[in-house]
Amino acid sequence: QVQLVESGGGLVQPGGSLRLSCAASGTIFRIKTRAWYRQAAGKQRELVATITSGGSTNYADSVKGRFTISRDAAKNTQFLQMNSLKPEDTAVYYCNVDSGLRAYWGQGTQVTVSS
């Protein structure tokens, strides 16, 4: 069973940057989209960014211009570069891969933005 393993979370001051990574333990065929979601305490999980197999990206309004999603298909890895972080970005971040047949989820990585 293919698993997604995230890394790169942590504590950062407002205005700082973090880069999240998500690596698949095996090959996922026919990937349609890769995505990052986040869930803050007491709130529903929300979509942060997506990237299609063709490379098209889309972002939540709250992170546009600050976050960048990318992927290295050859290494089955996706990234989320987060700049100009704000306290309201504090959440558990989850990576997601949709093959059309099923969705794969990472275990989540905590991002805390605080001074």
Side-chain angles (χ1 to χ4, degrees):
Q1 174 123 353
V2 176
Q3 295 182 329
L4 301 182
V5 180
E6 296 139 346
S7 60
L11 173 65
V12 64
Q13 292 187 340
S17 298
L18 283 175
R19 188 186 194 217
L20 305 183
S21 299
C22 173
S25 61
T27 300
I28 301 173
F29 295 98
R30 293 186 291 275
I31 293 175
K32 289 190 172 183
T33 59
R34 297 174 181 268
W36 288 92
Y37 289 74
R38 68 185 181 187
Q39 187 168 17
K43 296 187 177 181
Q44 289 188 331
R45 190 173 297 190
E46 64 173 350
L47 179 63
V48 175
T50 61
I51 184 167
T52 67
S53 58
S56 297
T57 58
N58 196 25
Y59 298 92
D61 288 343
S62 59
V63 307
K64 278 181 182 176
R66 301 188 297 122
F67 291 11
T68 303
I69 187 172
S70 62
R71 90 282 197 212
D72 183 336
K75 295 182 178 180
N76 293 319
T77 304
Q78 63 199 65
F79 308 95
L80 186 68
Q81 178 66 44
M82 305 185 293
N83 299 328
S84 302
L85 283 160
K86 305 175 181 180
E88 51 263 44
D89 295 319
T90 296
V92 178
Y93 284 71
Y94 299 89
C95 62
N96 167 273
V97 174
D98 181 7
S99 71
L101 296 176
R102 61 159 289 183
Y104 298 81
W105 290 92
Q107 81 286 355
T109 185
Q110 177 70 46
V111 171
T112 302
V113 185
S114 175
S115 55

